[in-house]
Amino acid sequence: MSQNGATALPPGPRMSRAVQTAIWSRQAQWLLRQCRARFGDAFTIRIAYEDTWVMLSDPEAIKQVFTGNPEVLHAGEANRILGPVVGSNSLLLLDEAAHLEQRKLLLPPFHGKRMMRYGELMAEIAGAEIERWPLGDPYRLRPRMQAITLEIILRAVFGVEEGERHDELKRELRSLLDMGTDPRRVIFLLALGPERVRRVGSFRRDIERVDRLIYEEIRDRRRASDLDKREDILSLMLQAKHEDGSPMTDLELRDQLVTLLVAGHETTATALSWAIERLTRHPEKLDRLTDEVRAGEDRYLKAVVIETLRLRPVIVLVARRLTEPMEIGRWSLPAGVTVAPCIYLVHRRPDIYPEPDRFLPERFLEKPPGTYTWIPFGGGVRRCLGGPFAQYEMEVVLRELVSRRRLRPARQRPERVFRRGITETPRHNAEVVLA
Ligand code: HEM
């Protein structure tokens, strides 16, 4: 007990850390639901390779975390395992002043309104991809959605034009990204830890091949005569300045480009796959969407995207490690624990979302999503930088798809949630039949 009578840590399951880890790695959502039912809005769980996690699903507690002092609430530490890929300047890894400095450089290129400028390019990429998909046979859309989101990042974020370097970069990045979703390699990397991973020969060679191409692109872009007219995010970053007036270094640019790729590619492809999976299970909603899109309206389309991210969040929680003790709600938490606003649980609260398990885009037609109750992109100073980009991209791709093709599910039963790396994907990769 602390002085004011608050208990230090909320209760949690008594199972050993090993058992909790085993359940977490296969059935995270089940474990979260069970704990919520048994212990309430806040509970403590223990997972191997992680700190002690205090899960939070009360919007007031989540607000406290998202608006709290970033010096006390560290997000970068929890992402250390990504270090060997994204590099030490990555926005994902930094905290406090260093984080804020990089974030300020990246915010203007990602401003919500700017995203519209990428609409045409996104539609062109999605349309060309969709035209290649076979008709009449079961077809898994998740890998194809990955192809679309990778191409969009290469062209809109990296600004790489079609050609030899584009193809080579795409190939090398694909193989680097696949490493993060291969469960055997993930376990191997986790067991080694970031420091030793850096020394593994095959891993180092993979990174070096990608880096060589990225540095070539940065070098050529610095010299481009049309740099100040270009719209892609790398070109905008090249023109950004630190507070002392100095430009971003090649190393900073490289680390942020790889960060944007790692953070933005798999996540958006998975969210798109869930939108298709949920829509094909609700033909009347798919029909409504198709009719409205074909009539040139986008209100229902936006609501579909928001509801998909609520019901099937790609990531179940965000984490902040306490550098000092902190009172959250009635808990007086010690330094060293990780507080985790739980996206999955807050999105399933019946007091906020009546019939929370139903797919009901209509919920969001009249009411915009709440800052601390709809949190698929996290929040506060760490809120996903690419949130507006991802939402807009989902709208564009869905629009292209439903205006070109009719869809039905290839399997009788809805697809279950399946963990791949850190994302929660549809078990059968959104398998559909196109017509
Ligand atoms: C549906 C797609 C996406 C989802 C669900 C998603 C989700 C998230 C979440 C949950 C976080 C952590 C937020 C927190 O700790 O509070 C995050 C951070 C981040 N995301 Fe996304 N993301 C998506 C797409 C993207 C895209 C397209 C990009 C960029 C092209 C991107 C770039 C980032 C970056 C740079 C961060 C780190 C922000 C920081 O630490 O300051 N994400 N994302």
Side-chain angles (χ1 to χ4, degrees), residues 66 75-76 79 90-94 99 103 106 110 153 157 233 256 259-272 309 312-320 341 343 375-391 393-394:
F66 285 163
N79 295 326
S90 165
L91 197 61
L92 284 166
L93 262 56
L94 299 173
H99 168 258
R103 194 165 161 109
L106 294 189
F110 275 98
I153 291 192
V157 176
I233 290 187
Q256 302 315 356
T259 298
L260 297 172
L261 173 78
V262 168
H265 153 266
E266 176 89 12
T267 43
T268 314
T270 300
L272 271 164
L309 290 166
R312 292 286 186 271
V314 174
I315 294 169
V316 290
L317 57 83
V318 294
R320 308 284 187 266
I343 301 172
I375 55 166
F377 298 114
V381 291
R382 305 302 298 225
R383 188 178 194 276
C384 173
L385 198 73
F389 188 93
Q391 269 180 270
E393 180 175 354
M394 288 177 71

Side-chain angles (χ1 to χ4, degrees), residues 13 56 78 111 272 375 431:
L56 303 169
H111 190 274
L272 271 164
I375 55 166
E431 200 174 8

Side-chain angles (χ1 to χ4, degrees), residues 115-128:
M115 297 306 115
M116 313 286 177
R117 303 190 187 208
Y118 303 120
E120 220 170 288
L121 177 62
M122 289 172 173
E124 184 194 309
I125 291 169

